[in-house]
Coordinates of all heavy atoms in Angstrom, one line a residue:
Chain A
Q227 N -1.6 15.0 7.8 CA -1.1 13.6 7.3 C -1.4 12.6 8.4 O -1.0 13.0 9.6 CB 0.3 13.8 6.9 CG 0.6 14.3 5.6 CD 2.1 14.2 5.2 OE1 2.9 14.6 5.9 NE2 2.3 13.6 4.1
K228 N -1.7 11.5 8.1 CA -2.0 10.5 9.1 C -0.7 9.7 9.3 O -0.4 9.1 10.3 CB -3.2 9.6 8.8 CG -4.5 10.3 8.7 CD -5.5 9.4 9.3 CE -6.7 10.2 9.6 NZ -7.7 9.4 10.4
I229 N 0.1 9.5 8.2 CA 1.3 8.8 8.3 C 2.4 9.7 7.8 O 2.4 10.2 6.7 CB 1.3 7.5 7.4 CG1 0.2 6.6 7.9 CG2 2.7 6.8 7.4 CD1 0.7 5.8 9.3
T230 N 3.5 9.9 8.6 CA 4.6 10.8 8.2 C 5.8 10.0 8.2 O 6.2 9.3 9.2 CB 4.7 11.9 9.2 OG1 3.5 12.6 9.2 CG2 5.8 12.8 8.7
Q231 N 6.6 10.0 7.1 CA 7.8 9.4 7.0 C 8.8 10.6 6.6 O 8.7 11.1 5.5 CB 8.0 8.3 5.9 CG 7.1 7.1 6.3 CD 7.1 6.0 5.2 OE1 6.2 5.8 4.5 NE2 8.2 5.3 5.2
D247 N 12.1 5.9 10.0 CA 11.1 6.5 10.9 C 9.7 6.5 10.3 O 9.5 6.7 9.1 CB 11.5 8.0 11.2 CG 12.9 8.1 12.0 OD1 13.3 7.0 12.5 OD2 13.6 9.1 12.0
C248 N 8.8 6.5 11.2 CA 7.4 6.6 10.9 C 6.6 7.0 12.1 O 6.7 6.5 13.2 CB 6.8 5.2 10.4 SG 5.0 5.2 10.2
T249 N 5.9 8.1 11.9 CA 4.9 8.6 12.9 C 3.5 8.6 12.4 O 3.3 8.7 11.1 CB 5.3 10.0 13.5 OG1 5.3 10.9 12.4 CG2 6.6 10.0 14.1
Y250 N 2.6 8.5 13.2 CA 1.2 8.3 12.7 C 0.3 9.2 13.6 O 0.7 9.6 14.7 CB 0.8 6.9 12.8 CG 0.8 6.2 14.1 CD1 -0.4 6.2 15.0 CD2 2.0 5.6 14.6 CE1 -0.2 5.6 16.3 CE2 2.0 5.1 15.8 CZ 1.0 5.0 16.6 OH 1.1 4.4 17.9
D251 N -0.9 9.4 13.1 CA -1.9 10.3 13.8 C -3.2 9.6 13.7 O -3.7 9.4 12.5 CB -1.8 11.6 13.2 CG -2.8 12.5 14.0 OD1 -3.1 12.3 15.1 OD2 -3.3 13.6 13.3
T252 N -3.8 9.2 14.8 CA -5.1 8.6 14.8 C -5.8 8.8 16.1 O -5.0 8.9 17.1 CB -5.2 7.1 14.4 OG1 -6.4 6.7 14.4 CG2 -4.4 6.3 15.4
S253 N -7.1 8.9 16.2 CA -7.8 9.0 17.4 C -8.6 7.7 17.7 O -9.2 7.6 18.8 CB -8.9 10.2 17.4 OG -9.8 10.0 16.3
D254 N -8.4 6.8 16.8 CA -9.0 5.5 17.0 C -8.2 4.7 17.9 O -7.0 4.5 17.7 CB -9.2 4.8 15.6 CG -10.2 3.6 15.7 OD1 -10.1 2.9 16.6 OD2 -10.8 3.4 14.6
Y257 N -6.0 0.2 16.0 CA -5.4 0.4 14.7 C -4.2 -0.6 14.5 O -3.8 -1.3 15.5 CB -4.9 1.8 14.6 CG -3.9 2.3 15.6 CD1 -2.5 2.1 15.5 CD2 -4.5 3.0 16.8 CE1 -1.7 2.5 16.5 CE2 -3.6 3.3 17.8 CZ -2.3 3.1 17.7 OH -1.4 3.6 18.7
G258 N -3.9 -0.7 13.3 CA -2.7 -1.6 13.0 C -1.6 -0.9 12.1 O -2.1 0.0 11.3
L259 N -0.5 -1.2 12.3 CA 0.6 -0.5 11.6 C 1.4 -1.5 10.7 O 1.7 -2.7 11.2 CB 1.5 0.2 12.5 CG 0.9 1.3 13.3 CD1 1.6 1.6 14.6 CD2 0.7 2.5 12.5
Q276 N 2.2 -4.4 13.4 CA 2.1 -4.1 14.8 C 0.7 -3.7 15.1 O 0.2 -2.7 14.5 CB 3.2 -3.0 15.2 CG 3.1 -2.6 16.6 CD 3.9 -3.6 17.5 OE1 5.1 -3.9 17.2 NE2 3.4 -4.0 18.7
G277 N 0.0 -4.3 16.0 CA -1.3 -4.0 16.4 C -1.2 -2.9 17.6 O -0.3 -3.0 18.4
S278 N -2.2 -2.1 17.7 CA -2.2 -1.1 18.7 C -2.3 -1.6 20.1 O -1.8 -1.0 21.1 CB -3.4 -0.1 18.5 OG -4.6 -0.7 18.5
L291 N 10.0 -3.8 14.7 CA 9.3 -2.6 14.7 C 9.4 -2.0 16.2 O 9.0 -2.6 17.1 CB 7.8 -2.8 14.4 CG 7.1 -1.7 13.8 CD1 5.8 -2.1 12.9 CD2 6.4 -0.9 15.0
N292 N 10.0 -0.8 16.2 CA 10.1 -0.1 17.5 C 8.8 0.7 17.6 O 8.7 1.9 17.2 CB 11.3 0.8 17.4 CG 11.6 1.5 18.7 OD1 10.9 1.3 19.7 ND2 12.6 2.3 18.8
F293 N 8.0 0.2 18.4 CA 6.7 0.8 18.6 C 6.6 1.6 19.9 O 6.7 1.0 21.0 CB 5.6 -0.3 18.7 CG 4.2 0.1 18.8 CD1 3.6 1.2 18.0 CD2 3.3 -0.6 19.7 CE1 2.3 1.5 18.2 CE2 1.9 -0.2 19.9 CZ 1.5 0.9 19.1
Q294 N 6.4 2.9 19.8 CA 6.3 3.8 20.9 C 5.0 4.4 20.9 O 4.7 5.5 20.2 CB 7.4 4.7 20.9 CG 8.8 4.0 21.1 CD 9.9 5.0 21.4 OE1 9.8 6.0 22.1 NE2 11.0 4.8 20.6
K295 N 4.0 3.8 21.5 CA 2.6 4.2 21.4 C 2.3 5.6 21.9 O 1.6 6.4 21.2 CB 1.7 3.2 22.2 CG 0.3 3.3 21.9 CD -0.5 2.2 22.6 CE -2.0 2.1 22.1 NZ -2.7 0.9 22.7
A296 N 2.9 6.1 23.0 CA 2.7 7.4 23.5 C 3.3 8.5 22.5 O 2.7 9.5 22.4 CB 3.4 7.5 24.8
R297 N 4.3 8.1 21.8 CA 4.9 9.0 20.8 C 4.3 8.9 19.4 O 4.5 9.6 18.6 CB 6.4 8.8 20.8 CG 7.2 9.1 22.0 CD 8.6 9.0 21.8 NE 9.4 9.3 22.9 CZ 10.8 9.4 23.0 NH1 11.4 9.1 21.9 NH2 11.4 9.7 24.1
K298 N 3.4 7.9 19.3 CA 2.8 7.6 18.0 C 3.9 7.4 16.9 O 3.8 8.0 15.9 CB 1.7 8.6 17.6 CG 0.6 8.7 18.6 CD -0.5 9.6 18.0 CE -1.8 9.5 18.9 NZ -2.9 10.4 18.4
S299 N 4.8 6.5 17.3 CA 5.9 6.2 16.3 C 6.0 4.7 16.1 O 5.8 4.0 17.1 CB 7.2 6.8 16.7 OG 7.8 6.0 17.7
A300 N 6.4 4.3 14.9 CA 6.5 2.9 14.6 C 7.6 2.7 13.7 O 7.5 2.5 12.5 CB 5.1 2.5 14.0
N301 N 8.8 2.9 14.2 CA 10.0 2.9 13.3 C 10.4 1.4 12.9 O 10.3 0.5 13.9 CB 11.1 3.6 14.1 CG 10.9 5.0 14.4 OD1 10.0 5.6 13.7 ND2 11.6 5.5 15.3
C317 N 5.5 3.0 5.2 CA 4.7 2.7 6.5 C 3.3 3.0 6.2 O 2.9 3.9 5.4 CB 5.2 3.8 7.5 SG 4.4 3.5 9.2
A318 N 2.4 2.1 6.8 CA 1.0 2.3 6.5 C 0.1 2.0 7.8 O 0.7 1.2 8.7 CB 0.5 1.4 5.4
M319 N -1.1 2.5 7.9 CA -1.9 2.3 9.0 C -3.3 2.0 8.6 O -3.8 2.4 7.6 CB -2.0 3.6 9.8 CG -2.9 3.4 11.0 SD -2.9 5.0 12.0 CE -3.5 6.2 10.9
E321 N -7.0 1.8 10.4 CA -7.8 2.2 11.6 C -9.0 1.3 11.7 O -9.6 0.8 10.8 CB -8.3 3.7 11.4 CG -7.1 4.7 11.3 CD -7.5 6.1 11.1 OE1 -8.3 6.3 10.0 OE2 -7.3 7.0 11.9
I333 N -3.6 3.3 5.0 CA -3.2 4.7 4.7 C -1.7 4.7 4.7 O -1.0 4.3 5.7 CB -3.8 5.7 5.8 CG1 -5.2 5.6 6.0 CG2 -3.4 7.1 5.5 CD1 -5.9 6.2 7.2

Side-chain angles (χ1 to χ4, degrees):
Chain A
Q227 280 189 306
K228 292 220 169 191
I229 297 287
T230 302
Q231 295 180 254
D247 295 341
C248 173
T249 57
Y250 60 92
D251 182 26
T252 182
S253 57
D254 196 321
Y257 54 88
L259 298 157
Q276 180 84 44
S278 58
L291 204 152
N292 184 2
F293 181 46
Q294 298 189 42
K295 196 170 183 177
R297 295 184 178 183
K298 294 188 174 179
S299 74
N301 298 339
C317 179
M319 175 174 66
E321 295 174 303
I333 303 164

